[in-house]
Amino acid sequence: MEFKVSKELIHQLEEHIVSKNDKELEVLLNDLHHADIAEILDELDFDEATYIFKVLDSDKTAEILLELEDDLRENILSRLSPKEIAEELDELETNDAADIIGELSQEIKAEVISELNDVEHAKDIVDLLRYDENSAGGLMGKELVKVNENWNVLTCVKEMRIQAENVSRVHSIYVVDDENRLKGRLSLKDLLTTSTKTQISDIYIRKLNFVNVDTEDVEVARIMQKYDLEAIPVVDELGRLVGRITIDDIVDVIKDEADKDYQLAAGITQDVESNDSVLELTKARLPWLLIGMVIEIVASFVLKGNEATFQKYSTLIIFVPLLSATAGNIGVQASAIVVQGLANGTLKEFSRGYFSKEISVSMISGTIISLLLLAYHSVMYQQYLVGIAISISMIVVILFAATLGTLVPLFLHKNKIDPAIATGPFITTTNDVFGIMLYFGVAKLILGF
């Protein structure tokens, strides 16, 4: 059953904090998962959260650090000495420790690294810090199990026992040569059922998926998702095994990317969260609102330029809101499917087949909407020619919106711009201007105005 923070638990904790009853705090929290404790600390104020954090053992608080909200983690770290931070990092795997250190200032970072007890652990962390955080090198951990292709099974088992002491989860056994170049992977079943004198080179599996240290994190996520991998090895430019990426790190990448795309689709230009300040939230939202305002002002000029038309055929102006909403919805739907295809790899570039399919869907949808609109207009206003003009104009605008929604994300993707930006205000506001122009243009052509 999923843990839920209760008011009663929070009240108990606050009472023990006030009375400095550290033993009772430990009793209440020690049996909880570190993610649940992090959730509890997020409900407390900074002073209370910091107090509890210092009461618990480092082997537990180290994992809690990774689960805390950014603001709370930053605040707690600011109240710890470099030595105390180092004690936390000694308990973490290298990639998690590197993530924490990466959030510190340069001055504190150097002090913390110098306080780390395990020299090899410190070297691995420093090595990881040189990689871009959005690359495979920035995601990977150094903890893994590897064996040499020239060993026999007996030697392999002995070495694996030594290496496994520093690895929390053994997903795969990697095989390397004398130069540490990745050669393949070893099946645990083969290892257990083969003679101890058998050479590893005779039984290891040569085909395996791997990524380079410079591979983008979203590409790593796509590969692991495609092949259902729990872990994937990482190699450097010379093909040497330098680390591995596990599924828990990729889940975070997928979540962050989804959050980013969702916000871009809503016209939010920066990565923000609900607990950010009013100023930060305003700065993230305002740019697209201003761009939208400018584009809608252009749309108003288009309407003004057609003032004579809707003075003569007044029902034309009545259906402008319907036109804008329908075209906007069609455009967003088309772009959302394209962005999804680009994200999961089912669509990599412009495809005539897919484009034809999208236009066909829009044509069918537009025809149904237009016929219903024609029937409504005919019953309500008895202006049959105007109704036909509005209906045909609607089909043209819908086809334009579908074309825009399909091609714009592909264009942005080709030019290394996140296509998710095309699923929100960009499509709807652009459709407003060009959609209204097409609407009146086609209507005037049919009405002979």
Side-chain angles (χ1 to χ4, degrees):
M1 183 182 294
E2 184 183 1
F3 172 82
K4 298 289 184 183
V5 180
S6 66
K7 290 183 179 179
E8 182 185 351
L9 176 59
I10 294 295
H11 181 66
Q12 283 181 297
L13 290 171
E14 288 174 337
E15 284 187 337
H16 292 318
I17 291 170
V18 171
S19 62
K20 307 293 183 184
N21 195 338
D22 296 352
K23 285 189 176 181
E24 286 299 323
L25 284 173
E26 289 188 79
V27 169
L28 280 173
L29 297 174
N30 264 341
D31 290 335
L32 294 178
H33 190 275
H34 56 266
D36 296 330
I37 298 176
E39 190 177 341
I40 292 170
L41 296 187
D42 285 328
E43 294 292 324
L44 302 171
D45 64 39
F46 285 146
D47 289 331
E48 291 171 335
T50 304
Y51 183 88
I52 290 178
F53 190 87
K54 290 190 174 185
V55 166
L56 300 176
D57 295 331
S58 291
D59 58 346
K60 200 171 193 74
T61 53
E63 296 292 343
I64 295 171
L65 265 182
L66 300 173
E67 302 291 340
L68 293 174
E69 293 291 334
D70 292 346
D71 288 345
L72 179 55
R73 180 168 60 244
E74 182 182 348
N75 194 282
I76 287 178
L77 288 173
S78 70
R79 301 183 182 200
L80 299 178
S81 68
K83 184 175 179 58
E84 288 174 320
I85 297 174
E87 288 173 357
E88 303 294 336
L89 301 187
D90 274 326
E91 301 294 334
L92 294 175
E93 292 190 348
T94 48
N95 57 330
D96 293 329
D99 289 341
I100 299 295
I101 288 184
E103 298 176 8
L104 305 174
S105 65
Q106 287 297 328
E107 182 182 349
I108 300 298
K109 190 183 298 184
E111 290 184 50
V112 170
I113 292 173
S114 67
E115 292 286 355
L116 291 169
N117 291 326
D118 189 333
V119 176
E120 287 302 317
H121 190 58
K123 285 181 180 178
D124 287 340
I125 293 171
V126 171
D127 183 48
L128 293 180
L129 289 172
R130 66 188 180 90
Y131 295 109
D132 187 298
E133 63 178 351
N134 297 319
S135 68
L139 279 177
M140 71 180 182
K142 291 288 189 175
E143 294 82 5
L144 51 80
V145 175
K146 63 181 179 181
V147 297
N148 192 295
E149 64 178 344
N150 297 317
W151 294 347
N152 60 30
V153 169
L154 181 60
T155 304
C156 175
V157 171
K158 289 179 180 178
E159 291 293 331
M160 284 173 56
R161 286 174 179 169
I162 297 171
Q163 294 179 35
E165 291 180 2
N166 299 317
V167 182
S168 58
R169 286 165 293 177
V170 180
H171 293 96
S172 299
I173 305 163
Y174 301 114
V175 180
V176 298
D177 62 15
D178 292 334
E179 301 298 324
N180 198 42
R181 289 189 293 263
L182 181 65
K183 306 298 288 186
R185 63 183 176 87
L186 187 60
S187 162
L188 185 59
K189 179 181 177 182
D190 291 341
L191 191 65
L192 294 173
T193 58
T194 305
S195 168
T196 56
K197 296 180 180 179
T198 303
Q199 292 292 115
I200 297 300
S201 57
D202 294 332
I203 60 171
Y204 78 83
I205 301 166
R206 287 167 172 76
K207 187 177 181 180
L208 85 164
N209 299 104
F210 62 89
V211 293
N212 189 273
V213 287
D214 295 323
T215 303
E216 291 186 1
D217 54 1
V218 289
E219 178 63 13
V220 176
R222 190 191 66 78
I223 293 171
M224 293 186 70
Q225 184 179 28
K226 180 179 180 180
Y227 297 107
D228 292 327
L229 303 175
E230 292 184 350
I232 191 168
V234 183
V235 300
D236 64 11
E237 294 80 359
L238 299 176
R240 295 174 299 191
L241 179 63
V242 291
R244 66 161 184 172
I245 298 171
T246 53
I247 190 64
D248 56 314
D249 298 310
I250 287 304
V251 169
D252 292 338
V253 171
I254 294 171
K255 179 182 178 298
D256 291 344
E257 193 66 18
D259 289 346
K260 175 186 169 187
D261 286 348
Y262 183 80
Q263 290 184 352
L264 278 175
I268 300 175
T269 57
Q270 299 175 22
D271 185 16
V272 291
E273 295 182 3
S274 58
N275 59 358
D276 286 339
S277 68
V278 172
L279 180 60
E280 289 173 323
L281 292 170
T282 303
K283 284 166 61 180
R285 298 180 188 182
L286 190 57
W288 262 116
L289 295 177
L290 294 175
I291 292 170
M293 181 194 73
V294 172
I295 294 176
E296 294 299 342
I297 288 174
V298 174
S300 70
F301 279 111
V302 175
L303 285 173
K304 185 174 178 60
N306 290 278
E307 193 172 358
T309 306
F310 59 73
Q311 280 180 349
K312 185 174 181 179
Y313 302 104
S314 59
T315 54
L316 286 176
I317 194 67
I318 294 173
F319 292 97
V320 168
L322 174 62
L323 167 92
S324 297
T326 304
N329 288 337
I330 290 286
V332 168
Q333 287 176 350
S335 61
I337 296 297
V338 173
V339 170
Q340 184 183 46
L342 292 170
N344 61 30
T346 56
L347 185 66
K348 295 181 174 61
E349 57 185 15
F350 175 78
S351 163
R352 287 185 180 179
Y354 177 78
F355 182 68
S356 299
K357 184 191 295 184
E358 189 60 47
I359 294 300
S360 298
V361 171
S362 300
M363 186 68 185
I364 294 170
S365 302
T367 301
I368 293 171
I369 291 170
S370 296
L371 287 173
L372 292 172
L373 187 59
L374 176 61
Y376 172 79
H377 190 278
S378 299
V379 171
M380 294 297 296
Y381 301 101
Q382 286 85 45
Q383 296 175 321
Y384 302 111
L385 185 60
V386 177
I388 291 171
I390 292 172
S391 298
I392 294 174
S393 299
M394 180 67 78
I395 292 176
V396 173
V397 171
I398 284 175
L399 289 175
F400 170 78
T403 302
L404 190 71
T406 303
L407 296 183
V408 168
L410 290 168
F411 173 80
L412 294 174
H413 178 70
K414 186 176 181 179
N415 289 275
K416 309 299 182 185
I417 301 171
D418 194 329
I421 199 172
T423 59
F426 181 87
I427 289 293
T428 53
T429 52
T430 305
N431 271 329
D432 278 352
V433 175
F434 291 101
I436 291 172
M437 289 173 64
L438 284 170
Y439 175 64
F440 281 106
V442 174
K444 285 194 291 186
L445 189 65
I446 295 171
L447 295 171
F449 188 81

